């Protein structure tokens, strides 16, 4: 007997309640509770097929981990090395990958290019679009030059028909564009709701794991930049990729924030052109090509993005405030880090910054969150405050503590080598990082123990 149950679900976090509430107890958002009708069936839910037997519902025995034989997971490599890097070395068979980004950022363009590249390697690819007709997809493919006999296009939103199409085509790679448009007929809520997104993702996960098909899911993002739908969506998939950048600029950053088959925090950089996305092999040159010479408040730091060192410019503008409370604004870095470092400069170095407005920016639209950029931020703030430029051939690396000390950072050798490639002659770094590794030719290392020492070498005191 089929039973119906009415409940209210928060569209932000997935919290369920038997009655409507204005404020969600789970995430604290207002007016996010939506009524949904759940159909309870006595039928048993489908299970994953066991990887060894391929049978459903077969009872398995617990096995000692030392008795399990392992092998390297085979990967499908695309022609985009930056995408392979973000995925941890290529596409793993049977993986479920979620890619999110702002509208118009290039998610569909990237996946259509990847589909064509896989099709040209004789892999059968099924591109399922819930937002475009097959003719619209064909027009976009013609513009990008991504047409192949092994690339199948299907326009559908019903999950039952999508599963049947996957059975008929038997592809190696499936693209779902997007998960917010797909729906399960058994679920009564609207497409894009928490229940629909959860059920459709569970079905796609079952298909990927039981048939060994790699599936890419496109996810919309909210105003805050998070992927729309319940947080459970990111927990269910194997890999989560964020496609970042500004629509008015040509550069796009593909960042991995979760990856079961590789390193997290990996980053791939692309440039949007008329014929699609092209990878940027040396992003440091891109971020530094428009740097002004002799300008105060500008420093260069070697930051690690996953396993890759990237040189970026940090700019600071310090000016007297016209208000009772000085403003502290930051773009590309945590805004809470700015007042913290300004307090260290005021207490430990003696700079009077309490009546100064501070504006900081990471050039190129990159977002940095590692502690090794602290010293470069502090030097750029002091440089702007004193109106003294730093040397254009200086690269500054180091973490700053609250007592004014400069702490050791990781992977210092890779950072210095990247700086040497781009012609930097001097690197200011923590004194504890000196020794134990090979210094590139033509690079002078200056070890500092405190912020005051770093300012003495970079600004002359």
């Amino acid at each position: 007997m089929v039973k119906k149950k009415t409940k209210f679900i928060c569209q932000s976090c997935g919290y369920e309640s038997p009655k409507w509430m204005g404020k969600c107890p789970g995430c604290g958002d207002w007016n996010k509770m939506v009524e949904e009708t759940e159909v309870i069936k006595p039928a048993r839910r489908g299970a994953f097929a066991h990887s060894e037997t391929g049978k459903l519902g077969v009872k398995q025995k617990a096995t000692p981990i030392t008795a399990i034989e392992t092998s390297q997971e085979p990967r499908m490599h695309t022609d985009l090395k930056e995408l392979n890097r973000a995925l941890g070395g290529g596409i793993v068979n049977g993986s479920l990958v979620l890619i999110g980004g702002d509208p118009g950022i290039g998610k569909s363009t990237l996946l259509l290019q990847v589909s064509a590249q896989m099709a040209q390697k004789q892999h059968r690819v099924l591109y399922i679009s819930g937002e475009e007709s097959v003719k619209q997809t064909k027009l976009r493919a013609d513009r990008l030059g991504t047409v192949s006999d092994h690339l199948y296009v299907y326009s559908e939103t019903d999950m039952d028909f999508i599963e049947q199409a996957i059975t008929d085509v038997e592809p190696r790679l499936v693209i779902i564009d997007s998960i917010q448009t797909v729906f399960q007929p058994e679920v009564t809520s609207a497409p894009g709701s928490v229940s629909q997104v959860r059920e459709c993702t569970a079905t796609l996960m079952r298909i990927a794991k039981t048939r060994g098909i790699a599936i890419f899911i496109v996810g919309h993002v909210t105003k805050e930049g998070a992927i729309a739908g319940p947080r459970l969506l990111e927990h269910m998939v194997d890999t989560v990729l964020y496609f970042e950048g500004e629509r008015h600029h040509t550069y796009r950053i593909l960042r991995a924030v979760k990856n079961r088959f590789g390193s997290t925090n990996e980053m791939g950089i692309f440039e949007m052109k008329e014929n699609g996305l092209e990878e940027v092999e040396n992003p440091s040159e891109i971020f530094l090509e428009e740097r002004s010479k002799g300008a105060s408040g500008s420093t260069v730091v070697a930051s690690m993005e996953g396993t890759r060192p990237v040189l970026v410019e940090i700019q600071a503008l310090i000016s007297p405030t016209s208000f009772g409370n000085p403003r502290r604004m930051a773009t590309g870095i945590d805004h809470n880090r700015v007042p913290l470092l300004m307090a260290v400069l005021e207490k430990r170095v003696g700079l009077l910054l309490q009546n100064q407005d501070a504006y900081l920016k990471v050039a190129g639209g990159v977002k940095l969150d590692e502690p090794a950029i602290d010293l470069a931020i502090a030097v750029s703030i002091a440089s702007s405050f004193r109106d003294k430029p730093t040397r254009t051939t200086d690269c500054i690396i180091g973490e700053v503590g609250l007592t004014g000390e400069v702490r050791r950072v990781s992977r210092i050798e890779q950072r210095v080598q990247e700086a040497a490639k781009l012609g930097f002659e001097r690197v200011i770094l923590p004194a504890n990082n000196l020794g134990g590794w090979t210094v590139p030719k033509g690079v002078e290392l200056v070890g500092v123990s405190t912020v005051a020492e770093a300012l003495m070498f970079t600004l002359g005191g």
Side-chain angles (χ1 to χ4, degrees), residues 113-125:
Q113 288 182 239
V114 172
S115 302
Q117 292 171 6
M118 292 292 99
Q120 290 171 359
K121 295 181 179 181
Q122 309 304 312
H123 296 307
R124 198 171 292 177
V125 181

Side-chain angles (χ1 to χ4, degrees), residues 345 348-349 375 404 406 448-458 461:
L345 288 173
R348 308 299 177 187
V349 185
L375 188 58
V406 178
V448 295
S449 300
T450 63
V451 178
E453 286 185 36
L455 296 182
M456 183 181 64
F457 284 110
T458 55

Side-chain angles (χ1 to χ4, degrees), residues 374-386:
D374 286 349
L375 188 58
I377 295 174
V379 172
S380 64
I381 291 173
S383 171
S384 179
F385 177 70
R386 295 178 177 176

Side-chain angles (χ1 to χ4, degrees), residues 397-459:
I397 309 167
E399 178 185 355
V400 176
L402 292 182
T403 58
E405 81 279 11
V406 178
R407 295 174 172 266
R408 176 197 301 269
V409 299
S410 62
R411 300 190 179 184
I412 189 64
E413 187 173 3
Q414 291 176 266
R415 301 174 195 262
V416 175
Q417 287 176 350
E418 182 70 14
K421 283 181 186 178
L422 295 181
F424 285 85
E425 301 172 357
R426 189 172 69 164
V427 178
I428 313 295
L429 74 169
N432 291 332
N433 278 119
L434 293 174
W437 50 281
T438 304
V439 181
K441 293 182 179 180
V443 176
E444 176 190 359
L445 300 184
V446 179
V448 295
S449 300
T450 63
V451 178
E453 286 185 36
L455 296 182
M456 183 181 64
F457 284 110
T458 55
L459 302 176

Side-chain angles (χ1 to χ4, degrees), residues 39 47 121 127 140 232 252 265 273 387 389:
V39 178
K121 295 181 179 181
Y127 189 99
R140 191 153 50 86
L232 178 68
R252 305 286 187 266
N265 294 323
K273 294 187 176 180
D387 202 18

Side-chain angles (χ1 to χ4, degrees), residues 88-250:
I91 304 173
V92 177
N93 293 326
S95 62
L96 187 62
V97 181
L98 173 65
I99 177 170
D102 293 330
I105 204 70
K107 303 184 295 296
S108 301
T109 300
L110 174 66
L111 293 178
L112 193 57
Q113 288 182 239
V114 172
S115 302
Q117 292 171 6
M118 292 292 99
Q120 290 171 359
K121 295 181 179 181
Q122 309 304 312
H123 296 307
R124 198 171 292 177
V125 181
L126 177 60
Y127 189 99
I128 301 171
S129 176
E131 301 175 347
E132 297 177 315
S133 65
V134 292
K135 291 184 178 179
Q136 291 173 326
T137 306
K138 176 63 164 57
L139 289 173
R140 191 153 50 86
D142 289 337
R143 178 175 60 86
L144 299 174
T146 56
V147 179
S148 174
D149 291 336
H150 288 80
L151 175 57
Y152 293 77
V153 180
Y154 186 47
S155 179
E156 184 55 65
T157 57
D158 191 317
M159 198 64 227
D160 291 342
F161 294 144
I162 290 175
E163 186 171 1
Q164 184 60 44
I166 295 175
T167 303
D168 296 339
V169 177
E170 297 183 351
R172 290 285 304 278
L173 176 65
V174 175
I175 310 293
I176 305 292
D177 187 6
S178 66
I179 189 64
Q180 276 81 12
T181 62
V182 181
F183 69 95
Q184 280 277 15
E186 295 84 3
V187 181
T188 58
S189 58
S193 63
V194 171
S195 300
Q196 287 286 6
V197 170
R198 181 176 59 237
E199 293 300 322
C200 293
T201 305
T203 302
L204 293 172
M205 174 67 79
R206 174 177 56 80
I207 294 172
K209 300 304 179 185
T210 56
R211 306 185 189 185
I213 301 172
I215 300 179
F216 278 76
I217 299 174
V218 176
H220 295 162
V221 296
T222 61
K223 292 184 293 184
E224 291 79 17
I227 294 179
R231 200 69 178 178
L232 178 68
L233 177 60
E234 297 187 33
H235 292 295
M236 294 174 70
V237 301
D238 298 314
T239 305
V240 179
L241 303 177
Y242 277 93
F243 211 33
E244 303 171 351
E246 298 182 11
R247 283 183 291 174
H248 306 294
H249 292 77
T250 59

